[in-house]
Amino acid sequence: PRDLALHNNCFRAQLAQARYLSDARANHPGLDGLPACGDRVPDVAYHSYFKRLQLPAAAEGFDAVLDHAFIPVFDSDTDEQVWNQHF
């Protein structure tokens, strides 16, 4: 879904900062070297993609069309906390 794709895009952009801040709080008093949060794909790219997206249908000759649920797996509790934030 579009909302999930946009959310995951924000998550990817925030992940480097969250990991750095987690390490910085534990090991460093300052925040020098904080990664930029500019790795986000522009929202217009997602809107353009979903505007043109045509989902496949079994009537097109496929044996089956499967719908796979997205279930996130996280490397750490910090990653999960960042993913659960509202963007």
Side-chain angles (χ1 to χ4, degrees):
R2 181 188 315 222
D3 291 344
L4 180 59
L6 291 168
H7 177 80
N8 285 338
N9 183 36
C10 289
F11 171 68
R12 281 190 304 273
Q14 296 291 330
L15 191 57
Q17 283 190 344
R19 286 185 175 161
Y20 177 84
L21 289 173
S22 178
D23 289 343
R25 288 185 188 121
N27 303 318
H28 308 287
L31 297 178
D32 296 335
L34 180 67
C37 188
D39 292 338
R40 242 177 112 220
V41 175
D43 288 352
V44 69
Y46 286 94
H47 295 303
S48 295
Y49 171 80
F50 280 100
K51 181 178 180 180
R52 293 175 179 83
L53 175 65
Q54 291 183 358
L55 296 175
E60 294 178 81
F62 298 108
D63 292 334
V65 176
L66 306 176
D67 186 14
H68 181 72
F70 175 77
I71 302 171
V73 177
F74 303 101
D75 292 336
S76 69
D77 290 340
T78 302
D79 292 357
E80 184 174 2
Q81 288 173 351
V82 172
W83 192 83
N84 284 311
Q85 292 176 358
H86 177 73
F87 292 101

